[in-house]
């Protein structure tokens, strides 16, 4: 299962949602967190990824089974993997093999516009919070993904800075 985490407000970091997920699972957890956020410290039970660069983190995902991988600030992985074939291959292997390997992969994006559309092919869940993304830009990028676009519009229009939409991709939208 892949959880795609959307964005944050200054008041409620979306990483709080990631922590809630991590508290519910019982599997080794590898977190790439270059900000070294305090919230993730209890979950770095195998690998202190903040000491490694993103290339080392991605390459070291190979062969792991029944493992949770958290990509905090995930846009860096997609920004740089296309430049190096070996990194793109490592990411592709991780995503394509996630179900067979029983891995949970969480990508945390702080801007919906930074999320690559190709990732949706592997996603089961998106948690969407407030962003500063422009409605027309999100419509042009995600318009064909009705569930995502409708959730974005609702979150964007809300005066509740803590609103989140849980989107089971291609099924339904729930609000928390």
């Amino acid at each position: 299962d892949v959880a795609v985490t959307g964005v944050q407000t200054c008041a409620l970091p979306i990483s709080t949602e990631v922590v809630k997920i991590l508290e519910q699972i019982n599997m080794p957890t590898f977190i790439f967190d270059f900000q070294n956020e305090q919230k993730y410290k209890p979950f770095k039970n195998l690998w202190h990824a903040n000491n490694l660069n993103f290339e080392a983190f991605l390459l070291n995902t190979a062969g792991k089974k029944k493992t949770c991988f958290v990509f905090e600030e995930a846009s860096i992985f997609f920004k740089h993997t296309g430049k190096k074939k070996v990194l793109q291959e490592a990411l592709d292997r991780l995503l394509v093999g996630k179900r067979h390997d029983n891995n949970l992969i969480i990508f945390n994006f702080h801007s919906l516009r930074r999320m690559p559309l190709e990732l949706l092919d592997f996603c089961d869940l998106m948690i969407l919070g407030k962003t500063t993304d422009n409605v027309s830009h999100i419509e042009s990028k995600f318009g064909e993904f009705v569930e995502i676009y409708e959730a974005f519009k609702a979150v964007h229009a809300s005066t509740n800075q803590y609103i989140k939409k849980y989107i089971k991709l291609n099924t339904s939208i729930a609000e928390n």
Side-chain angles (χ1 to χ4, degrees):
D1 298 317
V2 176
V4 176
T5 314
V7 303
Q8 70 178 5
T9 66
C10 292
L12 179 68
I14 202 69
S15 58
T16 301
E17 293 300 310
V18 175
V19 168
K20 287 179 186 177
I21 294 169
L22 296 178
E23 289 172 342
Q24 296 177 32
I25 62 171
N26 183 22
M27 58 183 13
T29 303
F30 289 73
I31 302 172
F32 183 83
D33 172 26
F34 69 91
Q35 296 287 340
N36 203 20
E37 292 186 45
Q38 291 294 318
K39 290 178 184 176
Y40 290 134
K41 288 201 184 294
F43 305 104
K44 292 181 180 177
N45 56 358
L46 286 182
W47 192 7
H48 296 280
N50 56 303
N51 296 329
L52 301 170
N53 65 36
F54 73 92
E55 292 179 17
F57 179 84
L58 192 54
L59 293 173
N60 280 291
T61 62
K64 304 284 189 293
K65 296 185 186 303
K66 296 181 181 176
T67 302
C68 177
F69 300 99
V70 177
F71 295 80
E72 176 66 38
E73 296 288 349
S75 58
I76 192 170
F77 288 89
F78 295 95
K79 181 178 177 184
H80 295 289
T81 52
K83 295 179 182 176
K84 294 189 178 180
K85 186 177 180 183
V86 67
L87 294 179
Q88 186 60 55
E89 289 172 354
L91 184 59
D92 290 347
R93 245 187 334 271
L94 180 65
L95 289 169
V96 171
K98 73 181 180 65
R99 290 200 198 291
H100 177 73
D101 295 336
N102 294 310
N103 289 331
L104 171 64
I105 307 166
I106 301 173
F107 293 99
N108 193 352
F109 292 92
H110 295 286
S111 172
L112 193 54
R113 69 184 173 273
R114 301 289 302 257
M115 191 184 98
L117 291 177
E118 307 83 56
L119 190 57
L120 294 176
D121 292 338
F122 302 98
C123 295
D124 301 307
L125 174 69
M126 177 184 286
I127 304 169
L128 183 64
K130 284 277 195 180
T131 74
T132 58
D133 290 314
N134 179 288
V135 174
S136 62
H137 185 249
I138 298 305
E139 179 182 23
S140 67
K141 183 172 182 174
F142 290 95
E144 68 183 72
F145 300 97
V146 176
E147 303 96 340
I148 296 171
Y149 180 60
E150 292 300 319
F152 173 79
K153 287 193 314 185
V155 168
H156 185 76
S158 176
T159 57
N160 178 357
Q161 66 180 346
Y162 302 108
I163 189 172
K164 293 176 294 299
K165 291 283 185 179
Y166 295 80
I167 308 159
K168 290 183 178 181
L169 295 176
N170 302 314
T171 55
S172 65
I173 299 174
E175 183 176 324
N176 180 8

